[in-house]
Short mmCIF file of all heavy atoms in Angstrom, two decimals:
data_model
loop_
_atom_site.label_atom_id
_atom_site.label_comp_id
_atom_site.label_asym_id
_atom_site.label_seq_id
_atom_site.Cartn_x
_atom_site.Cartn_y
_atom_site.Cartn_z
N ARG Y 42 -115.41 136.79 -25.17
CA ARG Y 42 -115.86 138.15 -24.87
C ARG Y 42 -114.69 139.08 -25.12
O ARG Y 42 -113.61 138.90 -24.55
CB ARG Y 42 -116.33 138.26 -23.43
CG ARG Y 42 -116.89 139.64 -23.12
CD ARG Y 42 -117.45 139.73 -21.74
NE ARG Y 42 -118.28 140.92 -21.63
CZ ARG Y 42 -118.77 141.34 -20.48
NH1 ARG Y 42 -118.55 140.68 -19.37
NH2 ARG Y 42 -119.50 142.43 -20.45
N GLY Y 91 -123.15 143.82 -22.73
CA GLY Y 91 -123.22 144.03 -21.29
C GLY Y 91 -123.18 142.72 -20.51
O GLY Y 91 -123.26 141.62 -21.08
N GLN Y 92 -123.10 142.86 -19.20
CA GLN Y 92 -123.08 141.68 -18.32
C GLN Y 92 -124.35 140.86 -18.47
O GLN Y 92 -124.32 139.64 -18.39
CB GLN Y 92 -122.92 142.12 -16.85
CG GLN Y 92 -121.64 142.86 -16.53
CD GLN Y 92 -120.45 141.94 -16.44
OE1 GLN Y 92 -120.05 141.31 -17.42
NE2 GLN Y 92 -119.88 141.85 -15.26
N ASP Y 93 -125.49 141.52 -18.71
CA ASP Y 93 -126.75 140.81 -18.84
C ASP Y 93 -126.75 139.90 -20.07
O ASP Y 93 -127.26 138.78 -20.02
CB ASP Y 93 -127.93 141.78 -18.88
CG ASP Y 93 -127.80 142.83 -19.97
OD1 ASP Y 93 -126.68 143.08 -20.47
OD2 ASP Y 93 -128.84 143.42 -20.35
N VAL Y 95 -124.17 138.43 -21.44
CA VAL Y 95 -123.31 137.27 -21.15
C VAL Y 95 -124.07 136.29 -20.25
O VAL Y 95 -124.10 135.09 -20.53
CB VAL Y 95 -121.98 137.71 -20.50
CG1 VAL Y 95 -121.15 136.51 -20.11
CG2 VAL Y 95 -121.20 138.63 -21.44
N SER Y 116 -113.32 130.94 -16.85
CA SER Y 116 -112.90 132.08 -17.64
C SER Y 116 -111.40 131.99 -17.82
O SER Y 116 -110.66 131.77 -16.86
CB SER Y 116 -113.30 133.35 -16.88
OG SER Y 116 -113.04 134.48 -17.63
N GLY Y 123 -110.25 140.81 -18.74
CA GLY Y 123 -111.64 140.99 -18.32
C GLY Y 123 -112.29 139.78 -17.67
O GLY Y 123 -113.51 139.74 -17.52
N LYS Y 124 -111.48 138.80 -17.26
CA LYS Y 124 -112.04 137.59 -16.64
C LYS Y 124 -112.79 137.91 -15.35
O LYS Y 124 -113.92 137.49 -15.16
CB LYS Y 124 -110.92 136.57 -16.36
CG LYS Y 124 -110.14 136.13 -17.56
CD LYS Y 124 -108.99 135.23 -17.19
CE LYS Y 124 -107.97 135.83 -16.27
NZ LYS Y 124 -107.20 136.96 -16.81
N THR Y 125 -112.15 138.65 -14.47
CA THR Y 125 -112.76 138.98 -13.18
C THR Y 125 -114.00 139.84 -13.38
O THR Y 125 -115.02 139.62 -12.73
CB THR Y 125 -111.75 139.70 -12.26
OG1 THR Y 125 -110.62 138.84 -12.08
CG2 THR Y 125 -112.35 140.04 -10.91
N HIS Y 126 -113.94 140.77 -14.29
CA HIS Y 126 -115.11 141.61 -14.57
C HIS Y 126 -116.27 140.76 -15.05
O HIS Y 126 -117.41 140.94 -14.61
CB HIS Y 126 -114.76 142.67 -15.62
CG HIS Y 126 -115.94 143.47 -16.05
ND1 HIS Y 126 -116.55 144.39 -15.22
CD2 HIS Y 126 -116.65 143.48 -17.20
CE1 HIS Y 126 -117.57 144.93 -15.85
NE2 HIS Y 126 -117.66 144.40 -17.06
N THR Y 127 -116.02 139.81 -15.94
CA THR Y 127 -117.08 138.95 -16.46
C THR Y 127 -117.65 138.05 -15.37
O THR Y 127 -118.87 137.91 -15.25
CB THR Y 127 -116.57 138.09 -17.63
OG1 THR Y 127 -116.18 138.97 -18.70
CG2 THR Y 127 -117.62 137.13 -18.13
N MET Y 128 -116.79 137.45 -14.57
CA MET Y 128 -117.25 136.49 -13.57
C MET Y 128 -117.83 137.16 -12.32
O MET Y 128 -118.86 136.74 -11.82
CB MET Y 128 -116.12 135.54 -13.18
CG MET Y 128 -115.61 134.69 -14.33
SD MET Y 128 -116.87 133.67 -15.12
CE MET Y 128 -117.03 132.37 -13.92
N GLN Y 129 -117.17 138.19 -11.82
CA GLN Y 129 -117.61 138.82 -10.58
C GLN Y 129 -118.38 140.12 -10.82
O GLN Y 129 -119.33 140.40 -10.12
CB GLN Y 129 -116.42 139.12 -9.67
CG GLN Y 129 -115.79 137.88 -9.09
CD GLN Y 129 -114.60 138.22 -8.24
OE1 GLN Y 129 -113.51 138.40 -8.75
NE2 GLN Y 129 -114.81 138.31 -6.95
N GLY Y 130 -117.91 140.89 -11.77
CA GLY Y 130 -118.52 142.19 -12.02
C GLY Y 130 -118.23 143.15 -10.91
O GLY Y 130 -117.28 142.98 -10.14
N SER Y 131 -119.07 144.17 -10.80
CA SER Y 131 -118.89 145.16 -9.74
C SER Y 131 -120.24 145.74 -9.38
O SER Y 131 -121.13 145.88 -10.22
CB SER Y 131 -117.93 146.27 -10.20
OG SER Y 131 -118.43 146.89 -11.36
N GLY Y 132 -120.41 146.06 -8.12
CA GLY Y 132 -121.64 146.69 -7.66
C GLY Y 132 -122.82 145.75 -7.61
O GLY Y 132 -122.69 144.53 -7.74
N ASN Y 133 -124.00 146.35 -7.44
CA ASN Y 133 -125.23 145.57 -7.31
C ASN Y 133 -126.16 145.74 -8.50
O ASN Y 133 -127.21 145.12 -8.54
CB ASN Y 133 -125.98 146.00 -6.03
CG ASN Y 133 -125.21 145.64 -4.79
OD1 ASN Y 133 -124.59 144.59 -4.73
ND2 ASN Y 133 -125.23 146.52 -3.80
N GLY Y 134 -125.82 146.57 -9.44
CA GLY Y 134 -126.71 146.86 -10.55
C GLY Y 134 -126.37 146.06 -11.79
O GLY Y 134 -126.05 144.86 -11.74
N ALA Y 135 -126.42 146.74 -12.91
CA ALA Y 135 -126.23 146.11 -14.21
C ALA Y 135 -124.81 145.56 -14.41
O ALA Y 135 -124.59 144.73 -15.29
CB ALA Y 135 -126.53 147.12 -15.32
N MET Y 136 -123.87 145.98 -13.59
CA MET Y 136 -122.48 145.54 -13.74
C MET Y 136 -122.18 144.24 -13.00
O MET Y 136 -121.06 143.77 -13.00
CB MET Y 136 -121.52 146.64 -13.28
CG MET Y 136 -121.63 147.92 -14.10
SD MET Y 136 -121.41 147.64 -15.87
CE MET Y 136 -119.66 147.41 -15.92
N ARG Y 137 -123.20 143.63 -12.34
CA ARG Y 137 -123.00 142.35 -11.67
C ARG Y 137 -122.54 141.32 -12.71
O ARG Y 137 -123.03 141.29 -13.82
CB ARG Y 137 -124.29 141.85 -11.03
CG ARG Y 137 -124.78 142.71 -9.89
CD ARG Y 137 -126.08 142.22 -9.27
NE ARG Y 137 -126.96 141.40 -10.06
CZ ARG Y 137 -127.87 141.85 -10.92
NH1 ARG Y 137 -128.01 143.14 -11.12
NH2 ARG Y 137 -128.65 141.02 -11.58
N GLY Y 138 -121.64 140.44 -12.30
CA GLY Y 138 -121.13 139.43 -13.21
C GLY Y 138 -121.91 138.12 -13.13
O GLY Y 138 -122.99 138.05 -12.54
N ILE Y 139 -121.33 137.09 -13.72
CA ILE Y 139 -121.97 135.78 -13.78
C ILE Y 139 -122.21 135.22 -12.38
O ILE Y 139 -123.29 134.69 -12.09
CB ILE Y 139 -121.13 134.81 -14.63
CG1 ILE Y 139 -121.19 135.23 -16.10
CG2 ILE Y 139 -121.60 133.38 -14.46
CD1 ILE Y 139 -120.24 134.44 -17.00
N ILE Y 140 -121.23 135.31 -11.51
CA ILE Y 140 -121.34 134.68 -10.18
C ILE Y 140 -122.49 135.26 -9.36
O ILE Y 140 -123.35 134.51 -8.89
CB ILE Y 140 -119.99 134.73 -9.43
CG1 ILE Y 140 -118.97 133.85 -10.17
CG2 ILE Y 140 -120.15 134.30 -7.98
CD1 ILE Y 140 -117.54 134.03 -9.70
N PRO Y 141 -122.56 136.58 -9.15
CA PRO Y 141 -123.69 137.08 -8.35
C PRO Y 141 -125.05 136.83 -9.01
O PRO Y 141 -126.03 136.55 -8.33
CB PRO Y 141 -123.42 138.58 -8.20
CG PRO Y 141 -122.29 138.91 -9.09
CD PRO Y 141 -121.61 137.64 -9.48
N ARG Y 142 -125.11 136.87 -10.33
CA ARG Y 142 -126.37 136.60 -11.01
C ARG Y 142 -126.76 135.13 -10.86
O ARG Y 142 -127.94 134.80 -10.69
CB ARG Y 142 -126.27 136.98 -12.49
CG ARG Y 142 -126.19 138.48 -12.72
CD ARG Y 142 -125.85 138.79 -14.17
NE ARG Y 142 -125.54 140.19 -14.36
CZ ARG Y 142 -126.39 141.10 -14.82
NH1 ARG Y 142 -127.61 140.74 -15.17
NH2 ARG Y 142 -126.03 142.35 -14.97
N ALA Y 143 -125.77 134.23 -10.92
CA ALA Y 143 -126.05 132.81 -10.75
C ALA Y 143 -126.54 132.52 -9.33
O ALA Y 143 -127.49 131.75 -9.14
CB ALA Y 143 -124.80 131.98 -11.06
N PHE Y 167 -115.22 128.30 -5.25
CA PHE Y 167 -114.79 129.46 -6.02
C PHE Y 167 -113.28 129.35 -6.10
O PHE Y 167 -112.56 129.63 -5.15
CB PHE Y 167 -115.24 130.72 -5.28
CG PHE Y 167 -115.10 132.01 -6.05
CD1 PHE Y 167 -114.83 132.04 -7.40
CD2 PHE Y 167 -115.26 133.21 -5.40
CE1 PHE Y 167 -114.72 133.23 -8.09
CE2 PHE Y 167 -115.16 134.41 -6.06
CZ PHE Y 167 -114.89 134.42 -7.41
#
Side-chain angles (χ1 to χ4, degrees):
R42 184 176 195 188
Q92 298 284 65
D93 56 340
V95 176
S116 186
K124 301 175 300 295
T125 301
H126 174 70
T127 297
M128 297 303 283
Q129 290 179 276
S131 59
N133 294 322
M136 298 305 285
R137 294 179 336 275
I139 290 172
I140 294 168
R142 290 170 190 261
F167 191 12

